Amino acid sequence: MKKILILGSTGSIGTNALELIRNNREQYQVVGISGNKNIELLKKQIEEFKPTSIYVGSEQDALKLKKEYPFLKEIYFGENGLAELSKNSDYDIILTAVSGAIGIDSTVEAIKREKRIALANKETMVSAGAYINKLLKEYPKAEIVPVDSEHSALFQSLQGFKKENVKKLIITASGGTFRGKDLAYLENVTVEQALKHPNWSMGKKITIDSSTLVNKGLEVIEAHELFNVDYDNIEVIVHPQSIVHSMVEYVDGSIIAQMGVANMKTPIFYAFTYPEKEFNSSINFLNLIKTNNLTFEEADRKTFKGIDLAYRAGKIGGTMPTVFNASNEVAVELFMKKKIKFLDVYRIIEEAMNSHQVLSLNTDNALNIIKEVDKETRKKVREQWEK
Ligand code: NDP
Ligand code: MG
């Protein structure tokens, strides 16, 4: 029996994970879950899975849930609550599926306890990858298995081969809702349009990120941090069908790809079962004949600047990826509140990066520096753009 802690259980990844576990109750036990505002769903999950530890956003909700469900042993809330949940509850695997850099501390705590981290929360690797990698060296039994579909594909395609024989990582991108559109069109697109993803059903923040291709940029940095491959050897190509989830090209000319339906259950479950592959009745299988054509094309990086901004941030290194991520998080929030236009997202990231004095993370104080820079970046963007 594996004990699972799910951060962000009320979200898109979290509910998929619970569906997998629902079909495999003999092997997996949900020991902890977390929601922020969606209390109704959190309550349903508590009733069904009977966890002993939870996190919820507000103290008021925490107190209510404590009264209602006396079997809950630990209830956390507020700023450090998620990290406390990760630090104290009794689990084998933690699935980090909250959205944004708020997930960093819980991953840090899980590494210190040398747990398996099924990492969906890509912003952690982007904002704090340099620190996380240093920490992983100090706690060698901790392991990160990526859940992001591209990184799960890369991870799987790297199994069994020597790293020095990798020529490049090829990350696929659907191209997003606005594939093929030009800047004149993008100037006036709405939140509602941006929230319609052609292939994937996901949380709102990542869906907006997919429409700007900042998501692909985040994934380039995430891949660099997870697999320690130079930026010059990481390529992005558009594959509109989202069937090939990413590929590794080797020095002998062979390309190993991982394919499957565009559904997060396979990568989530693999992060639970790795190094094995196991059956789960809620997983969907690919029908290759119906899939028909698989096509590949170059990404339009001039229009969708999210990719190049990420390469720039990643190559500069230090605290620049933290600034890339933090400025984007605020920009997406402001776009969703209709306070800025779609293309302002790029302007905001670019401005934040241009005005940032990069700091080295090659110090014992790296996590504090990351947090300071993250906070400062958010503040500056808000001051300038939140009217
Ligand atoms: P969702 O927006 O669907 O879910 C986010 C979860 O985090 C919810 O449980 C939400 O709680 C909780 N949450 C939000 N804000 C806070 C906060 N301030 N404090 C504590 N908890 C909070 O996101 P997704 O599931 O789509 O994505 C989760 C992560 O996985 C992201 O990092 C994303 O990039 C990554 N990912 C997602 C994929 C997908 O297919 N969805 C694919 C690849 C990666 P509540 O709803 O109760 O308020
Ligand atoms: Mg992805």
Side-chain angles (χ1 to χ4, degrees):
M1 192 79 146
K2 285 183 189 161
K3 295 180 203 154
I4 313 273
L5 169 62
I6 301 177
L7 303 188
S9 62
T10 52
S12 162
I13 293 283
T15 48
N16 271 297
L18 286 175
E19 202 180 321
L20 286 157
I21 295 175
R22 184 176 288 127
N23 291 309
N24 212 329
R25 286 292 188 85
E26 321 75 51
Q27 274 172 296
Y28 296 95
Q29 181 195 358
V30 179
V31 294
I33 56 178
S34 91
N36 189 37
K37 298 203 168 129
N38 191 346
I39 305 305
E40 284 319 303
L41 181 56
L42 190 67
K43 280 167 83 170
K44 279 193 194 137
Q45 295 177 344
I46 295 173
E47 284 161 23
E48 181 180 357
F49 292 94
K50 307 259 175 345
T52 49
S53 310
I54 64 157
Y55 167 91
V56 66
S58 77
E59 182 172 11
Q60 205 187 358
D61 287 326
L63 291 172
K64 264 195 225 153
L65 292 173
K66 195 178 176 149
K67 257 199 199 148
E68 213 165 319
Y69 304 106
F71 57 85
L72 288 171
K73 285 198 198 119
E74 300 167 309
I75 306 185
Y76 300 97
F77 57 87
E79 204 181 330
N80 296 317
L82 271 181
E84 291 290 313
L85 180 61
S86 164
K87 188 175 175 183
N88 299 326
S89 59
D90 174 26
Y91 59 90
D92 303 306
I93 300 173
I94 179 172
L95 171 64
T96 63
V98 292
S99 178
I102 51 154
I104 294 174
D105 285 339
S106 350
T107 294
V108 167
E109 294 302 336
I111 294 173
K112 288 183 177 165
R113 293 177 68 193
E114 303 203 297
K115 301 289 186 189
R116 158 136 353 147
I117 297 135
L119 182 103
N121 181 231
K122 67 185 88 192
E123 294 90 345
T124 287
M125 279 325 273
V126 175
S127 184
Y131 173 73
I132 296 287
N133 280 327
K134 210 169 83 185
L135 202 62
L136 284 168
K137 289 206 179 96
E138 283 174 45
Y139 298 93
K141 286 195 195 130
E143 54 179 356
I144 291 185
V145 183
V147 168
D148 207 349
S149 58
E150 295 76 4
H151 304 75
S152 176
L154 295 170
F155 187 87
Q156 293 179 57
S157 304
L158 285 162
Q159 294 300 311
F161 298 105
K162 285 204 184 105
K163 194 164 148 254
E164 59 259 37
N165 293 333
V166 170
K167 188 156 177 281
K168 64 181 177 201
L169 308 181
I170 305 169
I171 300 179
T172 53
S174 69
T177 324
F178 302 130
R179 183 170 68 95
K181 304 294 189 207
D182 60 12
L183 285 172
Y185 179 91
L186 293 176
E187 190 63 55
N188 291 313
V189 294
T190 62
V191 180
E192 291 72 22
Q193 283 172 289
L195 282 174
K196 282 192 193 120
H197 196 281
N199 303 343
W200 296 93
S201 153
M202 312 179 283
K204 285 187 180 164
K205 192 254 173 187
I206 184 175
T207 306
I208 301 292
D209 283 347
S210 301
S211 73
T212 58
L213 291 204
V214 167
N215 181 52
K216 221 33 68 177
L218 293 167
E219 291 182 351
V220 166
I221 302 175
E222 184 188 11
H224 168 81
E225 297 296 351
L226 284 172
F227 306 114
N228 190 21
V229 170
D230 286 350
Y231 283 101
D232 289 336
N233 300 329
I234 302 176
E235 188 180 310
V236 171
I237 61 170
V238 170
H239 165 50
Q241 297 82 18
S242 297
I243 296 291
V244 176
H245 297 310
S246 280
M247 310 170 238
V248 179
E249 183 171 37
Y250 287 90
V251 289
D252 66 349
S254 57
I255 293 179
I256 311 267
Q258 186 262 350
M259 305 198 287
V261 290
N263 182 314
M264 289 307 292
K265 288 200 183 105
T266 297
I268 296 168
F269 202 50
Y270 181 66
F272 291 172
T273 64
Y274 166 78
E276 300 303 328
K277 288 193 171 289
E278 286 174 20
F279 173 74
N280 185 297
S281 58
S282 76
I283 274 172
N284 302 82
F285 289 83
L286 189 61
N287 181 328
L288 280 171
I289 303 294
K290 279 196 189 148
T291 305
N292 202 0
N293 287 332
L294 298 182
T295 60
F296 301 94
E297 64 196 44
E298 222 171 304
D300 177 1
R301 290 160 66 151
K302 274 211 179 107
T303 308
F304 297 92
K305 284 189 188 171
I307 299 177
D308 281 357
L309 286 168
Y311 272 102
R312 200 180 122 205
K315 284 184 179 179
I316 293 170
T319 46
M320 199 54 104
T322 311
V323 171
F324 174 76
N325 179 68
S327 56
N328 177 61
E329 282 193 33
V330 180
V332 171
E333 184 198 313
L334 296 179
F335 177 64
M336 286 202 287
K337 288 182 178 159
K338 306 196 175 184
K339 294 196 170 176
I340 61 165
K341 293 174 114 186
F342 185 82
L343 292 173
D344 289 336
V345 172
Y346 303 137
R347 293 183 189 113
I348 287 174
I349 299 172
E350 212 163 359
E351 257 179 44
M353 282 172 54
N354 286 345
S355 65
H356 178 60
Q357 292 277 350
V358 184
L359 303 169
S360 161
L361 293 177
N362 215 348
T363 143
D364 291 343
N365 201 22
L367 187 57
N368 284 334
I369 295 177
I370 289 165
K371 286 189 177 168
E372 272 307 306
V373 167
D374 177 273
K375 205 164 121 191
E376 196 50 38
T377 305
R378 286 168 201 262
K379 192 170 147 232
K380 266 164 74 182
V381 174
R382 283 188 196 290
E383 276 168 9
Q384 198 167 344
W385 291 85
E386 194 166 32
K387 289 149 215 145

